Amino acid sequence: MKKQINLTVNGKAYSHEVEPRTLLVHYLRDTLRLTGTHVGCDTSSCGSCTILMDGQAVKCCSLLAVQADGANITTIEGLAENGTLHPLQEGFREEHGLQCGFCTPGMIMTAADLLSNNADPSEEEIRHALEGNFCRCTGYHNIVKSIQYAANKINKKEVVS
Amino acid sequence: MIPAAFDYQKASSVEEAVGLLKEHGMDAKILAGGHSLIPAMKLRLNQPGILIDISGISELNGIKVDGNTLVIGANTTHGAIAKSAEVASSAPVLAATAGVIGDVQIRNKGTIGGSIAHADPAADWPAALIACNSSIEVMGSGGSRTIAAADFFVGIYETALEDGEVIVAIHVPKVPGTAGSAYEKFFQPASRFAIVGCAAVLEMKDNFCTSARVAFTGVADTAFLDEKVSAALENQTLDDATIKAASELAASDAEILGDHFASEEYRQHLAKVFAERAIRAAIANA
Amino acid sequence: MTKMIGKSVKRVEDKRFITGKGQYTDDIILPNMVYAHFVRSPYAHAKILSVDTAEALAHPGVIAVYTGADVAEVNGVPCGWQVNFKSGETMKEPKHPLLVVNKARHAGDAVAVVIAESKEAARDAVDLVEVDYEELDAVVDPKKAAEDGAPLVHEDAPNNICFDWELGNPKEEVDAAIAGSAHVTTLEFANQRVIPNAIEPRSYIGDYDVAHDKYTLYTSTQNPHLIRLLLCAFVLGIPEHKVRVVSKDVGGGFGSKIFHYAEEALVTWIAKELGRPVKWTADRSEAFLTDAHGRDHVTKAEMGFDEEGNITGLRIKTYAAMGGYLSTFAPAVPTYLHGTLLQGLYTTPKIHVDVVATFTHTCAVDAYRGAGRPEATYLLERMLDTAALEMGMDPAELRFKNFIPAFNGVDEEGYVTNVALQYDSGNYHPVLQRALEMVGYEDFRKEQAAARENGKLLGIGFSTYIEACGIAPSAVVGALGARAGLFEVSQVRVQPTGMVSVYTGAHSHGQGHETTFAQVVADKFGIPLEHVDIVHGDSDSVAFGMGTYGSRSLAVGGSALVKSIEKVIEKGTKIAAHVLEAAEDDLEFADGKWTVKGTDKSIGFGDVSLTAYVPHNYPAGLEPGLDFSSFYDPTNFTYPFGAHIAIVEVDKDTGKVSLKRFIAVDDVGNVINPMIVDGQIHGGVVQGVGQAMFEQAHYDEDGQLITGSYMDYAMPRADDIPMIETDRTTTPCPHNPLGVKGAGEAGAIGSTPAVVNAVMDALSPFGVKNLSMPLTSESVWRAMNS
């Protein structure tokens, strides 16, 4: 029996009837056509499906769409504001933090959670925060640098304002 | 990966959840964070007919201190426990344990109640909860009861929960200020579950240990209080030789698991190493 | 105009990826699309007694269920490389059917496919297909497979042998050289089977347009044209011009997406059967079971030395797994990509390599990042460090002593090896020298000694490698058994306004071609980078190209690009000369304009482009337009090389290995974009580290894949890895116009033995000389305590 869900995704309100078994990641990808959130595994291991749910990074391949009823969700598509890239998006480009791009949205969303809790993380803290995200291309080196770039940029801005 | 079809109902109170469990019997499963259940359902290792979502029950959420007891609602996430000031001051070993479960995303959604109900033999919570002498408050159609953590974990994916019971909260006696505690874990390199996890809670008077609880997870079918190690520490001055001798006893009564990542022999060895590490870390932060 | 070549230009393609706008195959939903889900054998080896699809067909939403019997008339998936037995007999090449008929030959072998209106219905109905299996004994070890009495994978391949093969100096000469050596180092080891694990699972959509009798296959492949050729000419027998293969964004390949897979052919075939688009996307569990695996060699190696430590000879015997079926390039990997690399960087005077390729009841094995060259490098570099330890020599000194002297391939001839190659250019001392400086070798040895005093185990490991890439001259690979040419194509289409569209047969799945190729074009034409667009991955717009693998894109595809660029400039010069009323010889082309030498008379690139398409004032007899294609077939492989050093710490209590530092000094020839090259090295190094420390496709004796998910297959994570310290030397390739060699695989080739050697060095006080990969905590602990 289908269930009604109401939620906000990237600032926009949605209301849909979904099967209880519909995974949140499939709802985002297939129903809302937000295909920036990816599926890389079956076991909540790879982190490609990471989104922000009520401000916290979660793996939406292990959540049901019905669990997102009432939630406020941000996906990679909603991270840039008014066409201005988020410092993390900018950082990944500046520091070559991506190659094939498949893990990238999940990496960026995980890093967004990190920076919201820890504005100036050490290399070790960054690496630890990424323990739930696989990248097979970059060896993580430039991902770490990308997040450092974003942290520096955000901190500098705060000092200025 | 798609779960088999099921029905879904959101409960607004523990009583309602218990009622739904009673109504649907074995066909029903409780959904909290879903981070143990949903992956198993995607692989179709688990195919319940109905999920009863308890995540909206506010009384199951949150951490509070009740006299000398820390009460952690079943729906509290690992992440919230890791960050909680109450937990850090009342039972710091639980904060330390919460911080090494899964990864940040899993900690943000996975709950303590869900994890212990799942009873994975390699999960982190059981050792820490046993070492803290916690008890699990559950409610069924016959009312509520509490089960000592040491009795709660019965076997692989098996707990002392009766059919129709829901976990309500975890009650943890405040670890006294004079005590030291630690959780030390040897990670399985793929899943990052515990190959061996050892939690130690030691009440200390200077160098003298007045009470010791050392518990393991990952080592056997289920987590357990290691009475031999604990006894070898209790009422002893914890000098180097005593610590080493106690650690040597680790898991000596357990039926030790062996798998692709760690044979029985190696696991037994690791239990000793991590007992020693946990004891030393506990002493250091006493 | 600032030069673009050699600059770390930020990537053009990143914008879509960082905003979630990439388009991977699974992101595509076509109108009226249906979904496929496979029924796969749970057994490694089983007779299929019956398949009952009735209940599945009755399930709501199910449209069709196909079994092996339904596709029995369709050809199987072909192998693209033929290696003959030593006797001259053709290799054993059993049919690889799209769906198995009588017998499953590895866990995960596809028995049937369910097609349904939704992915949910397809998945649900898979459980309703009843297959009656009779389980049979299996063999999973490539060496045991060749033993008498081993269960047969294919009845027509006795002893499971696909082929045997040898290369090098006559065996007797090598035997004599080793017998006469002052010291012989012998090692027996496995180069374990690993799983590529591109993070994007394979995904395919077949579509058939009845109005135009035209198929479209959307596929996550590294080489769309090769897939089209194999699909049309070998599997489905459909006309090649009636098939469009599209591979837009692809989420990593590492070799595993080179090959033509049965699922690609099936979705295409079923799309026509049903008249509806058919999508299949692998679950990760399926990827573990069915993406072609890598490595899986069992080797005995013997290396002889004289009293001074000069290598006298090398003798190798390797058993290499092919798996249950022959994948596209499988036979080439342990032979022409492995045996030919056993000269390494060393002057070894006598080499003989003997390879036996066997079928096992496992997933197919094929090229995985480095393909054969990591296996060769692992073998040589483990031998060198082991020999140094045994002879009491310094491992760096032993390498310096045996390095081939420098040659640039222009003034000095390329180096002819004993194993059928001629290296293009090389200068090996400086890379190791630089790596030693970076690591601070002397200080490290002091630190290591002090640490040992304190019960702490540090180790340092070396690896100096060479690889052959830019694959490769078609005539050469043809003679060696390739059933395809290995050229590359480019088309440079200058638009009337001077904007440039480039079509390349190379395919980017992370390599950044949209940036690097654009840098080359922008530089050569003297135009802004933004004026160049790189198109790849669509067989309808790009001429027949060969795709990306073997670190070939820039060396081969970039060379094809330069040829087209030169043709544009040549024609542009004619047009410019006409407009400027000057002789062609009096013009020079620089900074985006043609100038009459010694004057300020000039015409810009855009004006010449416009003139080409608005040919009012135009050279007589010259065709309008400015649009050229070129095919480039290289004259040789390219030979990057480098020196890698790993420093590890071993936890004495648990055996856990931690990678503390990794230094990589690589020489990949000229570099177009240093940022991208560094990124390739970082990623390659970590994949190689993964093999050394974490990864293993572990089949049990029944052929069950024990490490079949991320819960059991360990891959490196961010917190397992330090920052990678990189540097470069530059020895240009003498035989291609950009002087480039290739960087995609270098990291993965060099790093694995460096890490293992470092652990062996750390364990040397325990007398440990050899451990199997991956270096698990338990195996290291056991080695210290045995």
Side-chain angles (χ1 to χ4, degrees), chain C residues 380-397:
Chain C
L380 289 171
E381 298 308 301
R382 286 287 297 119
M383 295 302 278
L384 265 287
D385 269 32
T386 307
L389 184 70
E390 288 174 350
M391 296 189 291
M393 290 182 69
D394 182 87
E397 279 311 310

PDB file of all heavy atoms in Angstrom, chain C residues 380-397:
ATOM      1  N   LEU C 380      59.840  -8.955 -10.376  1.00  0.00           N
ATOM      2  CA  LEU C 380      61.231  -8.482 -10.435  1.00  0.00           C
ATOM      3  C   LEU C 380      61.629  -7.761  -9.147  1.00  0.00           C
ATOM      4  O   LEU C 380      62.718  -7.972  -8.609  1.00  0.00           O
ATOM      5  CB  LEU C 380      61.406  -7.516 -11.611  1.00  0.00           C
ATOM      6  CG  LEU C 380      61.365  -8.139 -12.999  1.00  0.00           C
ATOM      7  CD1 LEU C 380      61.338  -7.030 -14.061  1.00  0.00           C
ATOM      8  CD2 LEU C 380      62.568  -9.056 -13.209  1.00  0.00           C
ATOM      9  N   GLU C 381      60.748  -6.908  -8.676  1.00  0.00           N
ATOM     10  CA  GLU C 381      61.120  -6.054  -7.552  1.00  0.00           C
ATOM     11  C   GLU C 381      61.154  -6.818  -6.235  1.00  0.00           C
ATOM     12  O   GLU C 381      61.944  -6.504  -5.345  1.00  0.00           O
ATOM     13  CB  GLU C 381      60.191  -4.842  -7.497  1.00  0.00           C
ATOM     14  CG  GLU C 381      60.289  -3.973  -8.751  1.00  0.00           C
ATOM     15  CD  GLU C 381      61.737  -3.608  -9.070  1.00  0.00           C
ATOM     16  OE1 GLU C 381      62.404  -2.989  -8.222  1.00  0.00           O
ATOM     17  OE2 GLU C 381      62.205  -3.978 -10.158  1.00  0.00           O
ATOM     18  N   ARG C 382      60.323  -7.828  -6.126  1.00  0.00           N
ATOM     19  CA  ARG C 382      60.439  -8.694  -4.946  1.00  0.00           C
ATOM     20  C   ARG C 382      61.761  -9.451  -5.002  1.00  0.00           C
ATOM     21  O   ARG C 382      62.426  -9.631  -3.981  1.00  0.00           O
ATOM     22  CB  ARG C 382      59.256  -9.670  -4.885  1.00  0.00           C
ATOM     23  CG  ARG C 382      57.946  -9.046  -4.460  1.00  0.00           C
ATOM     24  CD  ARG C 382      57.910  -8.710  -2.953  1.00  0.00           C
ATOM     25  NE  ARG C 382      58.030  -9.916  -2.145  1.00  0.00           N
ATOM     26  CZ  ARG C 382      59.014 -10.142  -1.281  1.00  0.00           C
ATOM     27  NH1 ARG C 382      59.957  -9.246  -1.080  1.00  0.00           N
ATOM     28  NH2 ARG C 382      59.056 -11.259  -0.600  1.00  0.00           N
ATOM     29  N   MET C 383      62.146  -9.879  -6.210  1.00  0.00           N
ATOM     30  CA  MET C 383      63.413 -10.602  -6.361  1.00  0.00           C
ATOM     31  C   MET C 383      64.587  -9.705  -5.972  1.00  0.00           C
ATOM     32  O   MET C 383      65.501 -10.131  -5.273  1.00  0.00           O
ATOM     33  CB  MET C 383      63.597 -11.057  -7.819  1.00  0.00           C
ATOM     34  CG  MET C 383      62.594 -12.072  -8.298  1.00  0.00           C
ATOM     35  SD  MET C 383      62.542 -13.583  -7.324  1.00  0.00           S
ATOM     36  CE  MET C 383      63.910 -14.471  -8.037  1.00  0.00           C
ATOM     37  N   LEU C 384      64.563  -8.468  -6.426  1.00  0.00           N
ATOM     38  CA  LEU C 384      65.695  -7.568  -6.172  1.00  0.00           C
ATOM     39  C   LEU C 384      65.880  -7.305  -4.676  1.00  0.00           C
ATOM     40  O   LEU C 384      66.988  -7.410  -4.152  1.00  0.00           O
ATOM     41  CB  LEU C 384      65.483  -6.242  -6.920  1.00  0.00           C
ATOM     42  CG  LEU C 384      66.113  -6.046  -8.287  1.00  0.00           C
ATOM     43  CD1 LEU C 384      67.619  -5.848  -8.165  1.00  0.00           C
ATOM     44  CD2 LEU C 384      65.837  -7.175  -9.251  1.00  0.00           C
ATOM     45  N   ASP C 385      64.786  -6.975  -3.987  1.00  0.00           N
ATOM     46  CA  ASP C 385      64.917  -6.697  -2.552  1.00  0.00           C
ATOM     47  C   ASP C 385      65.286  -7.959  -1.772  1.00  0.00           C
ATOM     48  O   ASP C 385      66.066  -7.905  -0.815  1.00  0.00           O
ATOM     49  CB  ASP C 385      63.624  -6.079  -1.986  1.00  0.00           C
ATOM     50  CG  ASP C 385      63.642  -4.543  -2.040  1.00  0.00           C
ATOM     51  OD1 ASP C 385      64.261  -4.013  -2.979  1.00  0.00           O
ATOM     52  OD2 ASP C 385      63.060  -3.901  -1.143  1.00  0.00           O
ATOM     53  N   THR C 386      64.735  -9.090  -2.201  1.00  0.00           N
ATOM     54  CA  THR C 386      65.056 -10.338  -1.512  1.00  0.00           C
ATOM     55  C   THR C 386      66.531 -10.697  -1.722  1.00  0.00           C
ATOM     56  O   THR C 386      67.236 -11.078  -0.782  1.00  0.00           O
ATOM     57  CB  THR C 386      64.150 -11.480  -2.022  1.00  0.00           C
ATOM     58  OG1 THR C 386      62.805 -11.070  -1.912  1.00  0.00           O
ATOM     59  CG2 THR C 386      64.364 -12.754  -1.227  1.00  0.00           C
ATOM     60  N   ALA C 387      66.977 -10.536  -2.976  1.00  0.00           N
ATOM     61  CA  ALA C 387      68.374 -10.842  -3.280  1.00  0.00           C
ATOM     62  C   ALA C 387      69.314  -9.936  -2.494  1.00  0.00           C
ATOM     63  O   ALA C 387      70.342 -10.380  -1.962  1.00  0.00           O
ATOM     64  CB  ALA C 387      68.616 -10.686  -4.782  1.00  0.00           C
ATOM     65  N   ALA C 388      68.965  -8.663  -2.397  1.00  0.00           N
ATOM     66  CA  ALA C 388      69.806  -7.722  -1.654  1.00  0.00           C
ATOM     67  C   ALA C 388      69.939  -8.178  -0.201  1.00  0.00           C
ATOM     68  O   ALA C 388      71.042  -8.191   0.360  1.00  0.00           O
ATOM     69  CB  ALA C 388      69.214  -6.318  -1.724  1.00  0.00           C
ATOM     70  N   LEU C 389      68.805  -8.570   0.374  1.00  0.00           N
ATOM     71  CA  LEU C 389      68.813  -9.045   1.754  1.00  0.00           C
ATOM     72  C   LEU C 389      69.694 -10.288   1.879  1.00  0.00           C
ATOM     73  O   LEU C 389      70.534 -10.390   2.777  1.00  0.00           O
ATOM     74  CB  LEU C 389      67.374  -9.355   2.185  1.00  0.00           C
ATOM     75  CG  LEU C 389      67.140  -9.772   3.617  1.00  0.00           C
ATOM     76  CD1 LEU C 389      67.370  -8.584   4.551  1.00  0.00           C
ATOM     77  CD2 LEU C 389      65.710 -10.296   3.799  1.00  0.00           C
ATOM     78  N   GLU C 390      69.506 -11.213   0.939  1.00  0.00           N
ATOM     79  CA  GLU C 390      70.264 -12.476   1.011  1.00  0.00           C
ATOM     80  C   GLU C 390      71.761 -12.252   0.810  1.00  0.00           C
ATOM     81  O   GLU C 390      72.583 -12.915   1.426  1.00  0.00           O
ATOM     82  CB  GLU C 390      69.744 -13.446  -0.068  1.00  0.00           C
ATOM     83  CG  GLU C 390      68.363 -14.007   0.252  1.00  0.00           C
ATOM     84  CD  GLU C 390      67.785 -14.856  -0.888  1.00  0.00           C
ATOM     85  OE1 GLU C 390      68.368 -14.855  -2.001  1.00  0.00           O
ATOM     86  OE2 GLU C 390      66.761 -15.497  -0.649  1.00  0.00           O
ATOM     87  N   MET C 391      72.098 -11.312  -0.057  1.00  0.00           N
ATOM     88  CA  MET C 391      73.522 -11.102  -0.363  1.00  0.00           C
ATOM     89  C   MET C 391      74.152 -10.044   0.538  1.00  0.00           C
ATOM     90  O   MET C 391      75.315  -9.712   0.369  1.00  0.00           O
ATOM     91  CB  MET C 391      73.675 -10.691  -1.838  1.00  0.00           C
ATOM     92  CG  MET C 391      73.243 -11.784  -2.807  1.00  0.00           C
ATOM     93  SD  MET C 391      73.655 -11.418  -4.530  1.00  0.00           S
ATOM     94  CE  MET C 391      72.573 -10.075  -4.908  1.00  0.00           C
ATOM     95  N   GLY C 392      73.353  -9.487   1.433  1.00  0.00           N
ATOM     96  CA  GLY C 392      73.873  -8.456   2.328  1.00  0.00           C
ATOM     97  C   GLY C 392      74.219  -7.173   1.596  1.00  0.00           C
ATOM     98  O   GLY C 392      75.142  -6.448   1.975  1.00  0.00           O
ATOM     99  N   MET C 393      73.482  -6.895   0.537  1.00  0.00           N
ATOM    100  CA  MET C 393      73.734  -5.658  -0.217  1.00  0.00           C
ATOM    101  C   MET C 393      72.609  -4.673   0.036  1.00  0.00           C
ATOM    102  O   MET C 393      71.512  -5.054   0.441  1.00  0.00           O
ATOM    103  CB  MET C 393      73.800  -5.955  -1.721  1.00  0.00           C
ATOM    104  CG  MET C 393      75.031  -6.744  -2.113  1.00  0.00           C
ATOM    105  SD  MET C 393      75.073  -7.015  -3.888  1.00  0.00           S
ATOM    106  CE  MET C 393      75.386  -5.358  -4.491  1.00  0.00           C
ATOM    107  N   ASP C 394      72.873  -3.429  -0.264  1.00  0.00           N
ATOM    108  CA  ASP C 394      71.811  -2.439  -0.151  1.00  0.00           C
ATOM    109  C   ASP C 394      70.896  -2.549  -1.380  1.00  0.00           C
ATOM    110  O   ASP C 394      71.373  -2.603  -2.514  1.00  0.00           O
ATOM    111  CB  ASP C 394      72.432  -1.035  -0.097  1.00  0.00           C
ATOM    112  CG  ASP C 394      71.361   0.008   0.066  1.00  0.00           C
ATOM    113  OD1 ASP C 394      71.002   0.286   1.218  1.00  0.00           O
ATOM    114  OD2 ASP C 394      70.850   0.506  -0.964  1.00  0.00           O
ATOM    115  N   PRO C 395      69.580  -2.574  -1.153  1.00  0.00           N
ATOM    116  CA  PRO C 395      68.682  -2.774  -2.299  1.00  0.00           C
ATOM    117  C   PRO C 395      68.749  -1.653  -3.330  1.00  0.00           C
ATOM    118  O   PRO C 395      68.546  -1.901  -4.529  1.00  0.00           O
ATOM    119  CB  PRO C 395      67.287  -2.842  -1.656  1.00  0.00           C
ATOM    120  CG  PRO C 395      67.435  -2.338  -0.257  1.00  0.00           C
ATOM    121  CD  PRO C 395      68.857  -2.536   0.126  1.00  0.00           C
ATOM    122  N   ALA C 396      69.035  -0.438  -2.900  1.00  0.00           N
ATOM    123  CA  ALA C 396      69.166   0.660  -3.872  1.00  0.00           C
ATOM    124  C   ALA C 396      70.448   0.466  -4.688  1.00  0.00           C
ATOM    125  O   ALA C 396      70.449   0.599  -5.920  1.00  0.00           O
ATOM    126  CB  ALA C 396      69.176   2.004  -3.155  1.00  0.00           C
ATOM    127  N   GLU C 397      71.531   0.121  -3.978  1.00  0.00           N
ATOM    128  CA  GLU C 397      72.814  -0.098  -4.673  1.00  0.00           C
ATOM    129  C   GLU C 397      72.700  -1.229  -5.685  1.00  0.00           C
ATOM    130  O   GLU C 397      73.245  -1.163  -6.783  1.00  0.00           O
ATOM    131  CB  GLU C 397      73.917  -0.431  -3.645  1.00  0.00           C
ATOM    132  CG  GLU C 397      74.491   0.782  -2.959  1.00  0.00           C
ATOM    133  CD  GLU C 397      74.893   1.885  -3.947  1.00  0.00           C
ATOM    134  OE1 GLU C 397      75.601   1.583  -4.923  1.00  0.00           O
ATOM    135  OE2 GLU C 397      74.451   3.035  -3.748  1.00  0.00           O
TER     136      GLU C 397
END
